[in-house]
Amino acid sequence: IPTVRLYPDESGVTGRRVILNCLVSDLFPPAAEVSFWKNGQPLEPVDQTALFTFDSSWRYTVLYHAQIEPTVGDRYSCLVELENKQQMQEYWGIVPINTGVRGVRDTLTLGYGGYGTH
């Protein structure tokens, strides 16, 4: 069963462009549709690139990249649709947290999974 991991090249960055990585591992056959989403809407594919590798058991690893400019509250996802139409999705975002100090807020970078058949 393939696994999906979604992560930025830099953590906790807001207000400037970063690379969001979607790593799909243990993929065979290597036929899969991968797309990036922001707040439930597809990202423009023009910013996406991919890198394929495989190991001695012919299991493929695919690394997709998308340029994003994250802001607090945005929810990004990587949707992977396999050849058999099974879908897996991984989520990532930056959420505000309350520090407990009056007038002070901070942010927390979260990666939260949503694997499964959709």
Side-chain angles (χ1 to χ4, degrees):
I1 296 178
T3 59
V4 180
R5 187 170 163 237
L6 186 63
Y7 59 94
D9 62 346
E10 297 180 55
S11 294
V13 176
T14 59
R16 66 182 176 90
R17 290 181 85 72
V18 296
I19 303 295
L20 188 61
N21 299 291
C22 181
L23 182 69
V24 184
S25 303
D26 295 324
L27 185 62
F28 188 84
E33 293 289 327
V34 176
S35 57
F36 286 91
W37 296 73
K38 175 184 177 182
N39 300 325
Q41 299 297 317
L43 287 178
E44 294 295 321
V46 69
D47 290 337
Q48 298 178 23
T49 58
L51 173 67
F52 287 83
T53 62
F54 62 92
D55 63 18
S56 61
S57 66
W58 291 97
R59 295 286 178 189
Y60 286 78
T61 297
V62 185
L63 180 60
Y64 282 83
H65 311 280
Q67 290 188 12
I68 63 168
E69 191 170 318
T71 58
V72 174
D74 285 340
R75 179 177 168 168
Y76 292 91
S77 64
C78 175
L79 176 65
V80 178
E81 184 173 333
L82 303 177
E83 192 175 53
N84 66 5
K85 302 300 182 196
Q86 178 184 3
Q87 293 182 340
M88 297 176 293
Q89 195 163 16
E90 179 76 5
Y91 302 93
W92 177 85
I94 300 175
V95 297
I97 58 170
N98 187 342
T99 63
V101 177
R102 186 180 190 141
V104 177
R105 289 193 70 147
D106 208 344
T107 59
L108 177 65
T109 303
L110 289 181
Y112 36 98
Y115 288 164
T117 302
H118 298 276

